[in-house]
Amino acid sequence: MMSIAYDDAREAFGRSAARDELLLIDGARVPAISGRTFKSLNPATEEVIATIAEGGAADVDRAVAAARRAFEGPWRTMRAAERGHILLKWAELLKQHADEIIELESLDAGKPIAAVLRQDFPAAIDTLTYYAGWADKIGGDVVSTRDDALTYTVREPVGVVAAIVPWNFPLMIGMWKLAPALACGCTIVMKPAELTSLSALRIGELALEAGLPRGVLNIVTGPGRIAGEALVNHPDVDKVTFTGSPGVGRGIMRGAAGNFKRVSLELGGKSANVIFEDANLDAAAKAAAAGIFFNAGQVCSAGSRVLVQESVYDEVVERLAARASALRIGDPQDRATTLGPVISEKQMKTILDYVDIGKQEGALLVTGGEHVGDRGYFISPAVFANVKHEMRISQEEIFGPVVSVIKFKDEADALRIANGTAYSLAAGVWSSDMGRVQRFAKRARAGTVWINTYGYTDVRLPWGGERDSGLGREHGTAAIDNFTEPKAVWMNLNV
Ligand code: NAD
């Protein structure tokens, strides 16, 4: 591995490497008022790939004011169909710039380019076109109440939205928030994760080109504790939509209390992928490996716990280890790469610490779990066997390419272990017994259950969890509800 064509990648990237990236406020690219900047690194090479304006509270003030003006002005008053047309035009422009955006995302987030091509980019476009279609279909109901009144409901945009996005799927998760909020007539101040700001800024420029009026979409880059907190605490923000860690999510709920902002939170996971002895083991092991090693395990719904019935336990461990060893670690820009680096040195250390914790707890490290190469944050995919449900590597989100394989006896045991963490985002179950998989699907504490498959998402289906996995749902009609407020209207028919 790692005979990497970095120079070609740098040349292709030239645009952002060669110049500073600025904030996007009120339709213009502007520096931070403080003049401060921060660096963004390529996680595969540790090289600086951009210098980015570091937004602070004063920049957030400007951005929120611009969003408020745009909300009261052109955006909410525009014909709904026209809003939809602008979003569709934006989708067209993104497709025209697909190569550039895909490459940017891969370089900035260290994602294998093949995965961005197959998953992140098409999902972002699908989300945008889906909600563009919603723009002129958001209605209310006429409700029967009294004979002397006409009573009906309308749904109105909530107002100025703060969208706070993590680094694991900057483009796709960013679009999960932007597209429905804009379709509903809201305006936005978005704060990308400081590790991955570049695709957001580029698509923001293209939104202006598509005809989005100035101030409708503002992007303030910078640290969560400064720009993020200023947004969450801002008295003129009406709603916060957040994806990230449970710790930050708790702080957001507290910050939002000041003016009772609407809050939706997509947080962490420790999802169980449960394999019964009567499952198609080949398909199950293949999906279980993809379920944890995709995006180097930095996926909220990663199947980081694989629960295996005791009679087939050794076989599944063996198959998982073989699949882990077969992954191609390397330059994310190489289309053959299937496992890229993790996002940062800090994240790498956290993951390697968990590998040590797993060993100290007495789990058996079957393969992987080591820093690979002399530059970049690469970790070989790790399979832990003999993991007990109570161990920290079974309870805590590692957010890296590390899978804990846990043995269970029967259905009740599987369910107890699957539901036995603080999280509830997703779960998978593999069996040829349809009664068994349906019993599991009914009782699993999870926002999504996959039966004889794992990992699919679709913007048409609700997405999210409860407890440490979050609050509310994204996607589908749930997102329309998130970004609108219902209003009841009474009209007296006798006056
Ligand atoms: P994080 O919580 O550290 O950061 C997420 C975002 O919040 C970033 O933009 C960050 O700058 C910002 N932020 C940080 N501190 C803040 C504060 N005090 N106030 C306001 N904003 C602040 O999370 P992360 O490390 O970027 O992402 C990893 C976490 O996100 C994992 O726990 C993962 O499970 C979760 N995640 C969940 C989903 C989902 O859909 N449920 C999807 C992706 C990631």
Side-chain angles (χ1 to χ4, degrees):
M1 70 162 263
M2 306 233 183
S3 54
I4 300 169
Y6 286 117
D7 290 341
D8 295 350
R10 257 203 309 276
E11 197 178 306
F13 182 62
R15 181 191 162 277
S16 296
R19 71 176 213 219
D20 295 343
E21 289 288 352
L22 302 173
L23 313 176
L24 174 58
I25 297 179
D26 207 13
R29 300 295 303 273
V30 293
I33 289 171
S34 67
R36 292 168 67 105
T37 59
F38 64 101
K39 308 277 184 212
S40 190
L41 303 187
N42 176 345
T45 63
E46 303 177 39
E47 289 169 336
V48 174
I49 54 171
T51 301
I52 303 174
E54 185 182 306
D59 304 290
V60 166
D61 279 345
R62 276 198 303 177
V64 172
R68 177 60 61 190
R69 281 193 299 276
F71 178 68
E72 301 298 350
W75 195 238
R76 82 180 302 188
T77 53
M78 184 182 286
R79 272 189 342 111
E82 186 58 25
R83 276 206 303 270
H85 289 147
I86 291 174
L87 297 185
L88 284 177
K89 173 93 189 298
W90 188 23
E92 280 313 307
L93 278 175
L94 296 182
K95 284 192 258 178
Q96 281 168 25
H97 291 81
D99 290 349
E100 178 198 347
I101 295 165
I102 288 166
E103 192 167 297
L104 201 57
E105 187 80 335
S106 167
L107 276 164
D108 200 20
K111 285 167 171 284
I113 199 155
V116 185
L117 198 63
R118 202 181 58 245
Q119 158 91 21
D120 304 58
F121 186 77
I125 298 293
D126 186 44
T127 302
L128 184 52
T129 50
Y130 171 77
Y131 283 111
W134 261 106
D136 59 359
K137 295 168 195 71
I138 299 166
D141 299 306
V142 175
V143 182
S144 300
T145 52
R146 303 166 53 111
D147 191 49
D148 59 356
L150 173 62
T151 44
Y152 60 93
T153 64
V154 286
R155 295 205 75 94
E156 296 180 341
V158 292
V160 174
V161 170
I164 303 179
V165 179
W167 41 259
N168 58 345
F169 292 91
L171 183 64
M172 183 180 84
I173 293 182
M175 196 57 89
W176 286 358
K177 302 184 184 313
L178 299 184
L182 293 173
C184 290
C186 297
T187 57
I188 298 173
V189 181
M190 181 189 197
K191 201 210 75 66
E194 49 272 52
L195 295 167
T196 56
S197 304
L198 300 182
S199 60
L201 291 168
R202 185 66 187 118
I203 69 168
E205 284 180 342
L206 292 170
L208 292 174
E209 213 176 306
L212 207 70
R214 58 188 262 198
V216 172
L217 170 57
N218 307 275
I219 302 175
V220 178
T221 46
R225 288 240 189 88
I226 299 169
E229 270 190 34
L231 255 180
V232 169
N233 292 320
H234 201 290
D236 207 25
V237 168
D238 301 296
K239 175 179 169 72
V240 184
T241 168
F242 170 78
T243 299
S245 54
V248 175
R250 272 186 202 97
I252 285 179
M253 285 195 80
R254 282 192 287 269
N259 63 333
F260 296 105
K261 292 178 185 72
R262 276 71 188 119
V263 175
S264 42
L265 305 172
E266 303 292 343
L267 307 175
K270 192 72 189 176
S271 299
N273 201 353
V274 180
I275 303 174
F276 284 94
E277 60 192 358
D278 58 353
N280 176 335
L281 292 189
D282 198 34
K286 188 173 169 199
I292 178 62
F293 298 129
F294 176 66
N295 210 43
Q298 303 165 118
V299 181
C300 49
S301 54
S304 50
R305 295 183 299 149
V306 175
L307 278 47
V308 188
Q309 200 156 19
E310 51 195 3
S311 58
V312 292
Y313 183 83
D314 292 343
E315 185 181 347
V316 172
V317 168
E318 213 171 281
R319 282 174 185 260
L320 272 175
R323 289 202 168 266
S325 309
L327 288 168
R328 273 192 64 159
I329 308 177
D331 177 12
Q333 297 284 296
D334 180 342
R335 286 195 181 210
T337 294
T338 49
L339 190 72
V342 298
I343 190 69
S344 64
E345 190 175 2
K346 181 166 164 256
Q347 186 70 10
M348 182 172 76
K349 285 196 174 132
T350 303
I351 297 164
L352 294 174
D353 280 352
Y354 269 112
V355 171
D356 285 341
I357 289 167
K359 288 190 219 163
Q360 283 159 20
E361 287 181 308
L364 174 68
L365 183 62
V366 181
T367 182
E370 286 174 343
H371 179 204
V372 182
D374 51 11
R375 61 177 180 163
Y377 313 123
F378 293 91
I379 297 179
S380 53
V383 176
F384 269 113
N386 301 346
V387 177
K388 300 276 176 273
H389 176 50
E390 300 71 26
M391 290 179 179
R392 285 183 64 191
I393 58 166
S394 167
Q395 290 291 324
E396 297 173 19
E397 186 179 45
I398 299 174
F399 225 56
V402 181
V403 65
S404 297
V405 195
I406 304 165
K407 200 179 279 184
F408 69 85
K409 285 192 181 56
D410 54 22
E411 227 174 288
D413 200 26
L415 197 69
R416 176 186 66 83
I417 298 171
N419 285 346
T421 73
Y423 298 101
S424 64
L425 189 60
V429 59
W430 296 80
S431 167
S432 50
D433 178 336
M434 290 302 106
R436 169 182 275 168
V437 294
Q438 285 299 334
R439 284 190 294 276
F440 181 87
K442 266 192 177 183
R443 284 166 207 147
R445 266 194 106 161
T448 294
V449 177
W450 289 293
I451 299 173
N452 290 331
T453 183
Y454 197 87
Y456 282 94
T457 58
D458 192 300
V459 72
R460 292 151 196 85
L461 290 166
W463 180 251
E466 294 129 55
R467 299 183 291 157
D468 281 17
S469 292
L471 185 72
R473 295 290 185 272
E474 295 194 286
H475 293 181
T477 53
I480 302 298
D481 292 344
N482 286 343
F483 294 110
T484 55
E485 289 285 358
K487 178 182 276 178
V489 182
W490 289 73
M491 183 177 175
N492 181 348
L493 299 182
N494 290 332
V495 173

